[in-house]
Amino acid sequence: EKVRLRIIQATLGYTSDEIWKDKKETQRLYDTATKGLIRIVDESAIYRGDVDLVLKSLEPSLVIFDQIDKVYGFDDDRDDLHLGAIYIWARELAKKYSCAVIGVCQADGQGEGVKWLTMSHVANAKTSKQAEADWILGIGLSNEVSTDDIRFFNISKNKLLGDPNTDPNERHGRFEVYIRPMIARYEDLE
């Protein structure tokens, strides 16, 4: 329910109070905006086979794993090889279902208070996760005073070519943005 609430907030730009003010109308607006196309599978333990069954039934255009490292069904003696197998599998899912697959993971302890997170800050991996990714975005947070509502986006890897509207100078860009936690959105600094 927490994730669903945050998705509704982000979709509509509503605070929790605005959502609860008229729950039926909020649901109608959300359904109209998303056309019923967003599905959330919330399992405390999800296995790779379960994911395949869900994706086969939905034929998605986008898959997002919140904490991809927690998908079960991968065996290996070493943690780095285990995690590498998950990321190889995610890459194969993208090909199999012809869709974008985004895996969210944490930064390691060295990322605490770092504005511009890089590939070296990825938790529990020095190369295995990074090697399988086409695109890596680090979202940093500074411990400096008066930066509580600012996040620092760093595209540290980008093998994607983009389209004719892509600015090649921003393929590996750094961007400061406002975080608006009350509506689950990031906004450009003006």
Side-chain angles (χ1 to χ4, degrees), residues 3 87 104 131 138 158 181:
V3 172
Y87 285 73
V104 177
N158 188 356

Side-chain angles (χ1 to χ4, degrees), residues 8 12 14-30:
I8 292 170
L12 300 176
Y14 280 13
T15 64
S16 294
D17 289 343
E18 290 170 313
I19 288 171
W20 299 121
K21 189 184 299 180
D22 187 343
K23 209 168 139 183
K24 282 186 179 181
E25 178 63 7
T26 297
Q27 186 66 51
R28 186 191 70 74
L29 291 170
Y30 173 77

